Amino acid sequence: MNQDFLVLCLESGSVAVLIQKHTNMSKNWPLWEIFVRSKNGLEHRHFGSLHAADADMALENARDVYTRRSEGVSIWVVESKNITASNPEHNGELFEPAQDKVYRHPTFYDLPDEVKHM
Amino acid sequence: MSDKEIKNLEEIFEARIARDEKIEPKDWMPEKYRKTHIRQMSQHAHSEIVGMLPEGNWITRAPSLRRKAALLAKVQDEAGHGLYLYSACETLGISRDEMYEQLHTGKAKYSSIFNYPTVTWADMGAIGWLVDGAAIINQVPLCNTSFGPYARAMVRVCKEESFHQRQGYEIMLKLCNGTPEQKEMAQDALNRWWWPSLMMLGPTDAESIHTEQSMKWKLKRKSNDELRQQFIDQTVPQADILGLTIPDPDLKFNEETGSYDFGEIDWDEFWQVVKGHGPSNKKRMKARVGAWEEGAWVRDAAMAYAEKQEKKKLKKVS
Amino acid sequence: MKQNKNLYNYIIGIADNSLILAQRLGELCGHGPTLETDIAGTNISLDLIGQARNYYQYAAKVQNEGKTEDDLAFLRLENQYRNVLLVEQPNEHFGYVMGRQYLFDVFHLMFLSEMLQSKDETLAAIAKKGIKEVSYHKRFSGDWIKRLGDGTEESNHNIQEAIDELWAYTDELFDQTEADKAMIAEGIGVDTSKLKEKYYEEVSILLKEATIEVPERKYFIKGGKKGVHSEHMGYILTEMQYMQRTYPNMEW
């Protein structure tokens, strides 16, 4: 028998059998990321996360947890494990090359002040 | 990684924080930073959910429907705040279940103030006014702390919590403007909650081990003693408006410092309560552990159901 | 005058259902299986308190004796509370909580949908607001019935146990008091007898989907609507009225 489940304690003549809660049998509710649109016209924004057994429950929980004060008109839920995130260690190669491409910005181009509407 | 490389990374890391940059979960961080944050954030989360119990104790007995709704909403907010904080903590790679485990086994601490019993309705007022008051002083600077998820959770917490203290003070006001019995109830609550509230702001600077490091990481902006002084200075005039007497014969306004001098705090009591010997420690833990264990079959059912539904969906597709 | 008395009694009956169920849910705050369910349960409780307040305020106005919502909610005798027995049943375990909720929610939503047509504008307005809240309650509790029923063996056993026991209190939902009958005749009250068949049909469909056996029961337990409550009620009121009884005539 697995000793995780059964621990036999012998104490000064008395025998106590402790059956440990087999906690590792339970599977925990996964984590979900919650995105809320606070009003039409605005984008869904990341609000936080919570636990739920399935997507329907995640939506219900999100409604109760994150929109108690009328913070939203629409909710997206995504199981956290389905999000692929960039690695901050690669930030240099990912994001720095964009920094010197100043010609993508309107201020890069010199025009005389008299030119209007541009 | 060599020691030298780590040291270099640490320097870059500290410099980022010094420049007020935020640290996000996937960024490199010193192990100590991670551990300290897990400890502080989980303790904070535990305090929120254990904190639901003393007030939850009065939901069924609230004296009016308006008060009942406000108290329920407040205790519910505390559940929400616990949830935000657990979630923020989970970004550091510890699960909520692990944190619960630490709470239930006594490995993790929570604010010792919740180990005092709530014996009258006035305690709902005193907790809102004093305990939430002290909590706000602690929490507002955290909205700007260095760890992004913690700071964001705290912004939400602080925004929602602004009604909590007002709710409590309003209860006190009503009592103090009521019958002599009600006023006495209010004074009695102040007598019992005053000193624990002062203790809530943490041990004196001389005894506080984490302060310096916490300051650097912006987990703290002011020392415990400074926060305590701030709390006392802002609370004494509020007590005056209520017409209540702070239970400290040594309390006196100091013209020179512009602050109130106050009496000796019974630190022995504080440490005894922290160690688990307070009047309600056992009851609080029993309630938390009980809720968790009795809920196991419910959580398992939801998971089993979700898995069955998932399988059904897959079958349909194929 | 008689009409007012009937209207008052009618409103009180509806209000007490919401209040007592909210009180039961309030007991659970901080003791649920997860933080998320705690927050959800509290939301339901808050909705019900809100509804109860609207009803009591209106009842106090109809009664016209200078009483407040709190006088009505807190200061009546046990036999003056007219809630159905179902809502006062205890939170034995989460299966009972969700079972009680679902069995009430299905009725509650049908009831409010009908009350929308009431000739009494105040009641129709309260119904309009309540329908949105109760639709969500039913969705929430119904989802949980499915999870518990079709979850694990243990959860199926637990929810079956709860449904079997609570089923005995469902028929009372459709009982009509003198006040109910008078108000139905006036076009103010909801003719609940018309809802009964639909109710059992809807509940049975969900229970079957949740692999829960629909109880077969011919004899039902009733009394709350007549003021004859279960032994639980005295304790509910003892707690709920504690402050009002211990410190009479004070404001809080």
Side-chain angles (χ1 to χ4, degrees):
Chain A
M1 189 166 285
N2 188 330
Q3 72 166 47
D4 279 335
F5 290 89
L6 190 68
V7 179
L8 209 59
C9 293
L10 289 157
E11 273 180 294
S12 58
S14 75
V15 180
V17 180
L18 295 178
I19 306 220
Q20 278 200 336
K21 287 250 161 197
H22 37 276
T23 41
N24 45 357
M25 270 195 38
S26 307
K27 245 177 144 178
N28 301 323
W29 290 2
L31 196 64
W32 297 73
E33 300 302 322
I34 311 303
F35 300 83
V36 177
R37 184 202 295 288
S38 40
K39 64 175 187 191
N40 274 13
L42 296 179
E43 70 280 64
H44 285 78
R45 206 162 56 78
H46 185 235
F47 261 47
S49 51
L50 48 74
H51 289 268
D54 54 45
D56 287 338
M57 194 202 278
L59 268 180
E60 285 171 9
N61 290 347
R63 177 261 193 192
D64 286 320
V65 171
Y66 288 107
T67 66
R68 295 199 300 285
R69 290 175 168 83
S70 315
E71 292 94 334
V73 295
S74 164
I75 302 173
W76 289 347
V77 298
V78 185
E79 202 178 330
S80 309
K81 69 170 189 206
N82 292 328
I83 290 183
T84 310
S86 65
N87 186 338
E89 279 172 30
H90 302 152
N91 275 10
E93 61 198 74
L94 287 176
F95 307 118
E96 275 172 30
Q99 283 172 7
D100 66 350
K101 312 287 192 294
V102 283
Y103 43 79
R104 288 195 174 108
H105 299 279
T107 45
F108 177 72
Y109 302 94
D110 280 332
L111 294 184
D113 289 345
E114 302 91 83
V115 183
K116 302 290 181 201
H117 308 297
M118 202 173 281
Chain B
M1 232 182 289
S2 72
D3 284 355
K4 201 179 157 199
E5 279 170 316
I6 290 180
K7 194 152 184 291
N8 191 25
L9 278 172
E10 273 177 14
E11 274 166 19
I12 296 171
F13 179 85
E14 298 294 348
R16 286 181 65 193
I17 294 182
R19 283 198 302 274
D20 255 339
E21 272 183 44
K22 295 283 184 234
I23 306 301
E24 293 297 342
K26 295 191 86 178
D27 293 349
W28 184 89
M29 60 184 75
E31 194 49 26
K32 200 173 161 212
Y33 182 88
R34 203 179 76 89
K35 282 206 173 122
T36 303
H37 276 77
I38 289 180
R39 196 188 59 232
Q40 174 157 343
M41 287 158 73
S42 67
Q43 280 184 14
H44 197 160
H46 296 329
S47 300
E48 294 282 355
I49 62 158
V50 176
M52 293 170 74
L53 299 168
E55 287 173 290
N57 184 34
W58 279 87
I59 289 171
T60 57
R61 290 178 293 170
S64 71
L65 294 177
R66 180 174 176 270
R67 293 281 177 221
K68 195 189 283 287
L71 185 60
L72 256 174
K74 182 181 183 230
V75 179
Q76 182 191 42
D77 271 353
E78 280 151 16
H81 299 169
L83 194 152
Y84 306 155
L85 289 162
Y86 282 127
S87 301
C89 204
E90 279 179 278
T91 63
L92 288 173
I94 181 169
S95 72
R96 196 196 292 178
D97 297 60
E98 287 172 87
M99 289 184 261
Y100 275 164
E101 181 73 21
Q102 292 176 350
L103 172 68
H104 296 162
T105 54
K107 208 181 139 208
K109 297 275 179 263
Y110 55 89
S111 185
S112 63
I113 192 111
F114 302 119
N115 292 318
Y116 290 87
T118 52
V119 293
T120 72
W121 170 251
D123 291 9
M124 298 303 99
I127 288 180
W129 171 37
L130 301 172
V131 177
D132 287 289
I136 290 167
I137 283 185
N138 249 331
Q139 288 175 351
V140 168
L142 286 173
C143 294
N144 220 357
T145 189
S146 65
F147 186 53
Y150 196 19
R152 290 192 288 275
M154 288 317 298
V155 168
R156 193 176 292 277
V157 168
C158 288
K159 213 189 317 177
E160 296 187 350
E161 216 152 71
S162 53
F163 99 79
H164 293 183
Q165 198 190 10
R166 293 174 70 98
Q167 181 255 179
Y169 195 74
E170 197 197 68
I171 290 175
M172 294 305 270
L173 260 179
K174 200 84 182 169
L175 293 174
C176 293
N177 293 327
T179 64
E181 261 170 308
Q182 283 174 304
K183 180 133 193 205
E184 199 180 307
M185 192 191 279
Q187 180 65 55
D188 163 68
L190 172 59
N191 293 349
R192 281 180 293 107
W193 290 96
W194 174 255
W195 292 104
S197 300
L198 297 190
M199 295 174 197
M200 197 184 150
L201 292 154
T204 53
D205 296 351
E207 299 235 4
S208 181
I209 24 174
H210 306 300
T211 299
E212 201 190 330
Q213 181 73 81
S214 298
M215 294 266 192
K216 238 166 60 190
W217 290 339
K218 299 178 181 164
L219 279 167
K220 245 180 194 311
R221 290 278 156 123
K222 291 179 183 169
S223 74
N224 293 349
D225 286 337
E226 284 172 311
L227 292 173
R228 199 169 0 257
Q229 189 65 57
Q230 184 189 338
F231 173 73
I232 293 170
D233 289 345
Q234 75 178 42
T235 309
V236 174
Q238 294 166 351
D240 290 342
I241 292 173
L242 293 170
L244 296 178
T245 312
I246 304 270
D248 178 359
D250 297 326
L251 189 85
K252 208 171 69 217
F253 190 71
N254 184 326
E255 296 287 350
E256 244 168 73
T257 59
S259 282
Y260 285 88
D261 295 336
F262 55 96
E264 191 88 24
I265 293 172
D266 181 356
W267 289 111
D268 183 45
E269 176 181 321
F270 174 76
W271 290 113
Q272 289 301 328
V273 177
V274 168
K275 281 177 192 146
H277 307 307
S280 304
N281 296 59
K282 290 227 159 56
K283 188 163 184 268
R284 303 288 182 248
M285 262 322 96
K286 212 173 147 194
R288 283 313 317 163
V289 174
W292 185 244
E293 287 181 352
E294 281 160 30
W297 69 271
V298 178
R299 296 190 300 275
D300 289 348
M303 254 347 265
Y305 177 79
E307 278 162 17
K308 280 186 204 174
Q309 295 301 109
E310 196 58 37
K311 269 187 203 147
K312 272 188 205 164
K313 244 194 248 166
L314 288 176
K315 236 186 203 166
K316 258 189 204 161
V317 172
S318 64
Chain C
M1 205 47 224
K2 176 86 174 130
Q3 204 247 1
N4 267 7
K5 186 134 185 67
N6 280 330
L7 180 58
Y8 169 83
N9 283 330
Y10 186 69
I11 304 166
I12 286 292
I14 312 171
D16 289 347
N17 282 343
S18 290
L19 176 64
I20 300 302
L21 186 54
Q23 180 77 2
R24 275 297 191 211
L25 289 169
E27 291 170 14
L28 281 176
C29 188
H31 305 275
T34 67
L35 272 180
E36 285 84 352
T37 45
D38 258 352
I39 294 171
T42 313
N43 261 357
I44 297 178
S45 183
L46 282 168
D47 285 343
L48 292 169
I49 292 176
Q51 293 169 13
R53 290 185 69 184
N54 288 333
Y55 290 124
Y56 288 129
Q57 283 163 14
Y58 184 39
K61 209 169 113 190
V62 170
Q63 188 190 35
N64 201 17
E65 289 178 12
K67 289 198 174 149
T68 66
E69 58 176 45
D70 289 325
D71 294 333
L72 296 184
F74 294 96
L75 286 173
R76 281 174 293 144
L77 301 176
E78 179 174 324
N79 64 10
Q80 291 168 331
Y81 285 81
R82 294 305 164 100
N83 56 282
V84 291
L85 295 178
L86 177 65
V87 295
E88 67 195 53
Q89 298 310 305
N91 306 322
E92 299 278 358
H93 58 57
F94 194 72
Y96 281 84
V97 177
M98 283 301 120
R100 181 184 64 208
Q101 193 65 40
Y102 180 69
L103 292 174
F104 183 71
D105 289 343
V106 174
F107 167 79
H108 199 188
L109 185 58
M110 287 179 177
F111 181 87
L112 291 180
S113 304
E114 290 294 317
M115 202 164 83
L116 211 49
Q117 318 298 330
S118 171
K119 279 189 186 157
D120 186 302
E121 281 173 19
T122 309
L123 288 181
I126 299 176
K128 195 174 171 201
K129 181 171 171 286
I131 282 173
K132 291 180 193 152
E133 295 168 345
V134 177
S135 301
Y136 184 76
H137 301 174
K138 189 177 90 170
R139 178 174 145 175
F140 182 81
S141 61
D143 282 352
W144 268 107
I145 297 291
K146 288 191 265 180
R147 288 188 193 107
L148 298 180
D150 198 14
T152 63
E153 212 174 297
E154 185 184 7
S155 72
N156 179 275
H157 170 268
N158 287 351
I159 186 67
Q160 184 74 57
E161 174 193 25
I163 294 290
D164 285 345
E165 199 174 323
L166 295 168
W167 197 258
Y169 303 103
T170 51
D171 195 70
E172 190 187 15
L173 292 164
F174 308 96
D175 264 14
Q176 291 176 358
T177 62
E178 288 308 309
D180 291 349
K181 284 176 192 156
M183 287 301 102
I184 294 166
E186 299 263 349
I188 290 173
V190 175
D191 187 355
T192 46
S193 65
K194 286 190 187 148
L195 305 176
K196 194 164 167 177
E197 202 179 318
K198 235 171 58 185
Y199 172 86
Y200 282 110
E201 198 183 292
E202 182 178 337
V203 171
S204 300
I205 289 172
L206 187 104
L207 291 185
K208 278 179 199 150
E209 192 190 333
T211 69
I212 299 166
E213 278 175 45
V214 181
E216 282 182 34
R217 193 180 175 107
K218 298 276 178 293
Y219 184 75
F220 292 91
I221 308 169
K222 323 176 169 190
K225 290 197 78 166
K226 294 196 179 88
V228 184
H229 292 275
S230 63
E231 288 182 353
H232 305 299
M233 191 65 175
Y235 295 94
I236 294 177
L237 296 183
T238 302
E239 271 190 49
M240 199 173 78
Q241 301 181 335
Y242 165 67
M243 291 296 292
Q244 301 272 345
R245 299 282 184 208
T246 314
Y247 305 93
N249 304 317
M250 295 183 203
E251 281 185 41
W252 304 96

